[in-house]
């Protein structure tokens, strides 16, 4: 879910996840005025795209269909959370992407969002088609307070609609000391803090491409592989 200040609806049926494979190394080149860089961390690969004078877009790639790659990514994030908690920086909020094990009603999620002081920047609702039972999603780039749909018509000619069953993915910023509130939540599958590490990697290894530019980072999420 790329960063945006606009409300946006995305309906996806039978989506296939990226299957790019997820040792530190990086390469960089300038192609037709556009920056093209790639790199690899222990649990993922990343690529950088962007014009030399505008925003930078960074994609994190993990082969989540590979059980070993997925396990490595989950473990890397768990380890990073422990490291963040050890620093115990009270006034530091970190970017997170939270993937739940199953669709959870907004009211239930909002309770933990509010108690943990998570600032929601975007969220994904998931549900099923009323006719075919195929899975679908709705992504909204705002907080829950802006309102959200219970269903979305996808085929006016047949009346087919996606009926949303709950929240599956959330993006936002969370005070580091409040991470345990999400760690102990029974429906948590992944608290992704990769942005914290990646921003440091970009500053160290890609300063020429990223200096003074807005950096937009897109993280993968294994929600489509879960049973919902």
């Amino acid at each position: 879910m790329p960063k945006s200040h606009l409300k946006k609806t995305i309906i996806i049926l039978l989506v296939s996840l990226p299957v790019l494979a997820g040792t530190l190394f990086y390469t960089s080149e300038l192609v037709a005025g556009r920056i093209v860089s790639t790199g690899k961390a222990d649990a993922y690969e990343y690529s950088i795209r962007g014009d030399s004078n505008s925003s930078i877009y960074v994609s994190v790639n993990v082969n989540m269909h590979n059980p070993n790659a997925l396990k490595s990514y989950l473990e890397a994030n768990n380890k990073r959370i422990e490291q963040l908690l050890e620093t115990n920086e009270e006034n530091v909020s970190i970017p997170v992407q939270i993937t739940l094990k199953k669709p959870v009603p907004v009211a239930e999620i909002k309770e933990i969002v509010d108690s943990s002081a998570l600032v929601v920047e975007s969220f994904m609702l998931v549900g099923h088609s009323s006719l075919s039972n195929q899975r679908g999603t709705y992504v909204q780039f705002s907080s829950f307070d802006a309102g959200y749909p219970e269903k979305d018509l996808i085929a006016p000619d047949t009346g087919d609609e996606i009926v949303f069953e709950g929240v599956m993915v959330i993006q936002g910023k969370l005070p580091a000391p409040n991470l345990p509130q999400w760690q102990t939540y029974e429906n948590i599958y992944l608290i992704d803090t990769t942005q914290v590490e990646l921003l440091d990697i970009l500053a160290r290894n890609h300063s020429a491409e990223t200096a003074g530019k807005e950096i937009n980072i897109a993280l993968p999420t294994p929600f489509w592989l879960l049973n919902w």
Side-chain angles (χ1 to χ4, degrees):
M1 294 188 289
K3 181 179 178 182
S4 174
H5 298 295
L6 300 176
K7 178 180 176 181
K8 185 177 182 181
T9 304
I10 305 175
I11 295 296
I12 308 173
L13 290 179
L14 299 179
V15 171
S16 59
L17 291 177
V19 292
L20 298 175
T23 52
L24 270 172
F25 75 88
Y26 69 95
T27 62
S28 180
E29 58 181 323
L30 193 63
V31 179
R34 295 183 62 81
I35 297 168
V36 179
S37 298
T38 61
K40 187 174 182 180
D42 289 339
Y44 59 89
E45 294 182 349
Y46 61 90
S47 59
I48 305 171
R49 298 290 185 273
D51 294 317
S52 56
N53 296 314
S54 63
S55 299
I56 295 297
Y57 298 90
V58 185
S59 297
V60 172
N61 304 311
V62 180
N63 183 359
M64 293 190 171
H65 293 277
N66 181 321
N68 291 330
L70 177 56
K71 180 181 178 182
S72 177
Y73 192 70
L74 294 174
E75 290 177 346
N77 275 284
N78 289 334
K79 181 178 179 180
R80 190 180 305 111
I81 288 174
E82 296 307 315
Q83 293 171 341
L84 289 167
L85 289 172
E86 286 176 4
T87 62
N88 196 28
E89 298 185 58
E90 294 288 341
N91 298 319
V92 174
S93 287
I94 60 173
V96 294
Q97 177 171 278
I98 296 170
T99 299
L100 303 170
K101 295 177 181 177
K102 63 180 182 179
V104 179
V106 173
E108 180 176 329
I109 285 297
K110 198 170 184 309
E111 285 187 14
I112 187 170
V113 163
D114 293 341
S115 65
S116 66
L118 172 64
V119 177
V120 176
E121 296 175 342
S122 66
F123 60 92
M124 177 188 291
L125 299 174
V126 300
H128 291 82
S129 160
S130 59
L131 296 182
S132 67
N133 204 40
Q134 291 179 332
R135 297 185 296 177
T137 73
Y138 169 97
V139 177
Q140 183 165 305
F141 296 94
S142 61
S143 71
F144 297 116
D145 295 331
Y148 45 87
E150 294 183 358
K151 55 188 177 180
D152 205 334
L153 184 66
I154 58 174
D157 54 331
T158 63
D160 194 8
E161 57 189 7
I162 297 296
V163 179
F164 300 115
E165 294 148 28
V167 182
M168 198 79 178
V169 184
I170 310 168
Q171 283 189 341
K173 288 189 171 64
L174 177 69
N178 295 350
L179 281 164
Q181 289 182 248
W182 286 95
Q183 284 181 298
T184 57
Y185 179 50
E186 62 181 355
N187 288 315
I188 278 294
Y189 184 81
L190 169 63
I191 304 172
D192 196 329
T193 59
T194 301
Q195 282 200 54
V196 176
E197 177 181 84
L198 189 51
L199 287 171
D200 182 62
I201 292 174
L202 294 175
R204 287 186 286 108
N205 296 342
H206 301 276
S207 58
E209 298 103 312
T210 61
K213 300 180 180 66
E214 179 183 11
I215 300 174
N216 302 276
I217 297 177
L219 299 176
T221 169
F223 83 96
W224 206 264
L225 300 178
L226 303 179
N227 185 23
W228 52 273

